[in-house]
Amino acid sequence: MKMVSAAKLKKAQDAITAMRPYSNKLTELLQSLSATLDADSGSKYAEQREINNVLIVAVTSNRGLCGAFNSNIIKQTNILINDVYATKNVSVLAIGKKANDAFAKQNRVIGNKSEIFDDLTFDNVSVIAEMLMDKFVSGEFDKIEVVYNHFKNAATQIIMTEQFLPIVPVESDDNINLDYVFEPSKLEIVEELIPKSLKTQLYKGIRDSFASEHGARMTAMHKATDNATELRDQLKLTYNKARQAAITNEILEIVGGAEALNN
């Protein structure tokens, strides 16, 4: 399992590494444009409302045997439910069977998108992102957050809680360099970029989690192998000691019987 995860990790790591520059540049461009727009021209995805209904998108895996990978997400989601949004109506969208199994018992799951890992593409994730955007715009939810594992390296995963909607306001920065030619207007470009940016943000989060899963499983299986080897060595030593003690007792009995016959 360690070798299989190592092979899958290489592909998943290459995918998220190749995507990050695009995602970061898109976010940078969107923030630069948004910072120069008037306050009245805000997007429907940036509407700040009184928070009553919260949706948490919990990204886990479909399988176990990956250490604390899933339990950390479940624990963080429970903190949001019981502490941060204790007085709010909180629902969960499960991406991964482990999240669905954990929160279905609390009757909080409004949907299970575990099948996304069978064919993890931007188009398939876009469908989920569009559903989330529709639920926010319709007023079904006032705030949507995504909880996932950020891939740092094979041995380290960082739990991330990102606000998906509404879009976090960007403070204006006089030092922003806008060396761009706009066609059509800046507002139209921003309105086009925001949905694309949200889809990219969710896709990056799920891709991050996918790479983190294989890294966590590879590390967990490596530790399991080391622990099993150590346990085997300890049991072998205990067995040899017991065997040696039994042989010694038999020899003592034989010698004792021979001495008794001689006497």
Side-chain angles (χ1 to χ4, degrees):
M1 289 186 70
K2 176 187 173 183
M3 289 187 293
V4 170
S5 291
K8 291 182 178 180
L9 172 63
K10 180 64 170 63
K11 184 177 179 180
Q13 184 177 355
D14 290 344
I16 188 62
T17 302
M19 181 185 175
R20 278 177 183 163
Y22 171 79
S23 176
N24 294 338
K25 189 62 179 177
L26 180 61
T27 303
E28 175 190 335
L29 177 61
L30 182 62
Q31 289 178 346
S32 299
L33 292 172
S34 300
T36 62
L37 292 174
D38 297 332
D40 297 334
S41 59
S43 167
K44 57 186 177 181
Y45 301 115
E47 180 185 353
Q48 301 291 328
R49 303 192 288 256
E50 181 183 355
I51 299 175
N52 295 314
N53 300 308
V54 179
L55 177 62
I56 300 174
V57 182
V59 186
T60 62
S61 66
N62 288 338
R63 298 185 300 153
L65 297 177
C66 48
F69 175 83
N70 292 313
S71 59
N72 284 339
I73 295 298
I74 294 170
K75 180 180 178 181
Q76 178 63 22
T77 305
N78 278 322
I79 290 174
L80 293 175
I81 293 173
N82 300 320
D83 297 338
V84 180
Y85 302 115
T87 60
K88 312 298 181 184
N89 181 25
V90 183
S91 302
V92 175
L93 175 66
I95 298 181
K97 291 180 181 177
K98 295 300 179 180
N100 183 66
D101 293 343
F103 297 107
K105 300 174 183 177
Q106 303 178 18
N107 295 320
R108 294 185 181 274
V109 177
I110 65 165
N112 179 17
K113 302 297 181 180
S114 303
E115 71 280 356
I116 193 68
F117 293 111
D118 296 333
D119 187 17
L120 185 53
T121 63
F122 181 80
D123 290 338
N124 290 336
V125 174
S126 295
V127 175
I128 301 176
E130 288 172 358
M131 178 194 70
L132 296 176
M133 289 186 276
D134 290 341
K135 287 182 179 295
F136 176 79
V137 172
S138 66
E140 184 176 346
F141 294 103
D142 305 309
K143 189 174 184 179
I144 300 176
E145 293 200 312
V146 182
V147 181
Y148 67 96
N149 281 288
H150 170 70
F151 179 80
K152 184 177 180 181
N153 53 52
T156 306
Q157 297 83 39
I158 303 171
I159 302 173
M160 300 292 291
T161 302
E162 289 184 354
Q163 182 171 317
F164 186 70
L165 286 168
I167 296 173
V168 180
V170 180
E171 297 181 1
S172 180
D173 188 351
D174 296 334
N175 296 323
I176 291 178
N177 180 22
L178 286 177
D179 187 17
Y180 304 120
V181 175
F182 301 105
E183 180 63 36
S185 67
K186 277 192 274 189
L187 178 58
E188 291 180 75
I189 293 175
V190 168
E191 289 296 326
E192 179 70 23
L193 281 179
I194 285 177
K196 193 176 192 66
S197 177
L198 289 171
K199 293 175 184 178
T200 304
Q201 178 185 347
L202 183 62
Y203 182 56
K204 181 175 72 69
I206 297 177
R207 267 289 175 193
D208 249 336
S209 179
F210 189 63
S212 298
E213 175 192 348
H214 292 304
R217 181 170 290 110
M218 188 180 73
T219 303
M221 292 300 97
H222 178 73
K223 290 181 178 178
T225 301
D226 290 344
N227 291 338
T229 302
E230 182 181 353
L231 180 61
R232 181 199 63 188
D233 293 341
Q234 290 177 351
L235 290 174
K236 184 182 291 186
L237 181 61
T238 302
Y239 168 76
N240 287 336
K241 286 181 178 179
R243 178 171 171 273
Q244 188 62 45
I247 293 173
T248 302
N249 288 334
E250 290 178 2
I251 293 175
L252 290 176
E253 290 175 0
I254 293 172
V255 172
E259 288 295 328
L261 291 174
N262 292 335
N263 293 332

